[in-house]
Amino acid sequence: MSSDIESFAAHLQSSKRILALLGAGLSASSGLPTFRGAGGLWRTHDATSLATPEAFNADPALVWQFYSYRRHMALKAQPNRAHLALAELARKNPGFMTLSQNVDGLSQRAKHPSDKLQLLHGSLFNVKCTSFYCSYHAENFTDPIVPALKIPLDESDPTTKEARHAVSDALQAKQEHKELDISDANIHLPSVKISDLPKCPECHKGLLRPGVVWFGEALPSKVINTVDDFIVDSDKIDLIMVIGTSAKVYPAAGYVDRARAKGARVAVINADRADAPAGGISDSDWFFEGDAAQIVPEILR
Ligand code: BV8
Ligand code: ZN
């Protein structure tokens, strides 16, 4: 395995079909917490207990507070030099396709060409109606999306452990068919009434939900088909860059092996040496350890 920039740059130069799989580590330098990194979103706030249809059904107000907080943070953040360098490569190289697991909208704000940016897990800035008979969905950048979801001045994070306990209490109560009002869980969250949550402007009945892919939900078929076409249409894939991701969430992480199966060499950019994709890093690959915001612009120069 190499961390030699020259050999990587030479291979990049001669590569026609290139994939990049992006994860939360790409946006870390923009100030957005990752899911697993130190103090990450998952470790301290257990996003998995909030990023599910069950949690939303059990307590839509809490889950909306979680997403409203992340929308607010993402809008305050700026794309970093790695987002910009990847967008530049996508403009220059028609054979380069980016698969992003990130929902923070930073690649889009870096002017990454949209046809070259596949959002595997949706976006914080899409919303859709939860009513079965309504197909309303739209982009929405309003912050807060409704007044009731305004972030408290101290920007206290609504996904603290109290909130997490509240979700599991609510799930528990639901299962025991007891209606547990979130305020019974005596947590200090400003309780938000369901009636104050974002409503569908089309059917005026359904609650809106964030347009992200939750655990247990299928990835958007249009995105899957576009990525499959890119892979199948490629006689050979020359390179996949795996940038700032623990590569543990599937089916997204599975694209690394699919690229390898088409001959791709793998370049991992990660702050943590231990976080290599399944299947490890072979001799013909590269591992660049450190901050993606520093490394990516340098190796794509
Ligand atoms: C599905 C949107 C089926 C929401 C997200 C066992 C095996 C295989 C699969 C499963 C399994 N058990 C369960 C599953 C399925 C599950 C899954 O994979 N679970 C995991 C936990 C094992 N997958 C699903 O549920 C998927 N759907 O399978 O559906 C199906 C099929 C048909 C019909 C119906 C159903 C859906 C998964 C999508 C979930 N949604 N996001 C939201 O964001 O709120 S996933 C979410 O977590 C992110 O989008 C992201 O993808 C993922 C976190 O991963 P990373 O981005 O990698 O972030 P992480 O913190 O983990 O890592 C950061 C990395 O950066 C670290 O390596 C760190 O070292 C590095 N780093 C930190 N700082 C820097 C850095 N690197 C460089 N520079 C830095 N500065
Ligand atoms: Zn509707």
Side-chain angles (χ1 to χ4, degrees):
M1 166 186 59
S2 158
S3 59
D4 169 55
I5 294 186
E6 296 321 315
S7 63
F8 172 81
H11 185 67
L12 177 67
Q13 200 61 37
S14 65
S15 292
K16 292 211 178 14
R17 303 290 278 182
I18 306 167
L19 281 173
L21 177 67
L22 312 182
L26 175 70
S27 301
S29 274
S30 297
L32 296 182
T34 63
F35 289 79
R36 280 199 184 79
L41 209 54
W42 269 359
R43 183 173 296 160
T44 46
H45 303 309
D46 209 0
T48 42
S49 66
L50 296 167
T52 67
E54 294 75 20
F56 186 77
N57 295 334
D59 186 358
L62 178 68
V63 173
W64 256 120
Q65 284 178 290
F66 174 54
Y67 282 95
S68 184
Y69 169 74
R70 288 175 62 198
R71 287 164 54 101
H72 179 71
M73 295 292 283
L75 287 171
K76 275 194 337 175
Q78 294 304 323
N80 61 52
R81 289 173 52 236
H83 294 105
L84 297 167
L86 288 160
E88 175 60 23
L89 181 64
R91 278 190 290 274
K92 271 190 324 200
N93 185 330
F96 172 44
M97 179 65 84
T98 298
L99 317 180
S100 183
Q101 301 173 93
N102 296 339
V103 295
D104 56 35
L106 292 185
S107 288
Q108 297 91 309
R109 285 169 52 199
K111 304 269 176 284
H112 198 114
S114 56
D115 61 331
K116 293 286 186 284
L117 177 64
Q118 298 308 318
L119 300 177
L120 300 176
H121 295 156
S123 166
L124 292 171
F125 303 103
N126 288 338
V127 289
K128 59 185 184 183
C129 182
T130 56
S131 166
F132 186 75
Y133 302 98
C134 180
S135 58
Y136 176 80
H137 63 278
E139 277 199 331
N140 177 304
F141 293 91
T142 312
D143 181 32
I145 186 166
V146 288
L149 288 171
K150 181 161 177 40
I151 302 298
L153 277 187
D154 64 357
E155 291 195 345
S156 60
D157 182 339
T159 59
T160 55
K161 61 183 183 318
E162 295 93 338
R164 192 172 55 203
H165 290 316
V167 171
S168 40
D169 290 350
L171 282 167
Q172 187 73 31
K174 205 105 184 160
Q175 264 117 34
E176 288 153 18
H177 305 300
K178 275 189 320 206
E179 269 315 305
L180 171 77
D181 180 297
I182 209 75
S183 50
D184 296 353
N186 70 13
I187 54 170
H188 321 297
L189 274 181
S191 62
V192 174
K193 292 201 298 297
I194 292 191
S195 53
D196 292 335
L197 292 178
K199 283 284 175 311
C200 176
E202 195 149 288
C203 69
H204 306 290
K205 276 210 270 332
L207 206 49
L208 291 182
R209 60 162 277 185
V212 296
V213 177
W214 279 328
F215 287 98
E217 294 186 320
L219 275 55
S221 44
K222 186 167 170 292
V223 167
I224 296 289
N225 296 339
T226 306
V227 178
D228 282 352
D229 290 350
F230 179 90
I231 295 174
V232 168
D233 295 351
S234 307
D235 298 335
K236 180 176 181 302
I237 292 179
D238 302 294
L239 172 67
I240 181 165
M241 295 181 281
V242 183
I243 304 173
T245 178
S246 56
K248 290 185 175 60
V249 174
Y250 284 80
Y255 287 118
V256 181
D257 282 343
R258 290 190 58 190
R260 274 200 184 106
K262 292 284 269 206
R265 294 175 71 179
V266 180
V268 178
I269 295 92
N270 200 303
D272 181 346
R273 198 155 197 72
D275 266 357
I281 291 286
S282 74
D283 289 349
S284 72
D285 297 335
W286 295 268
F287 193 108
F288 297 104
E289 184 177 358
D291 177 11
Q294 306 306 322
I295 294 172
V296 170
E298 204 182 319
I299 64 172
L300 296 186
R301 223 171 351 139

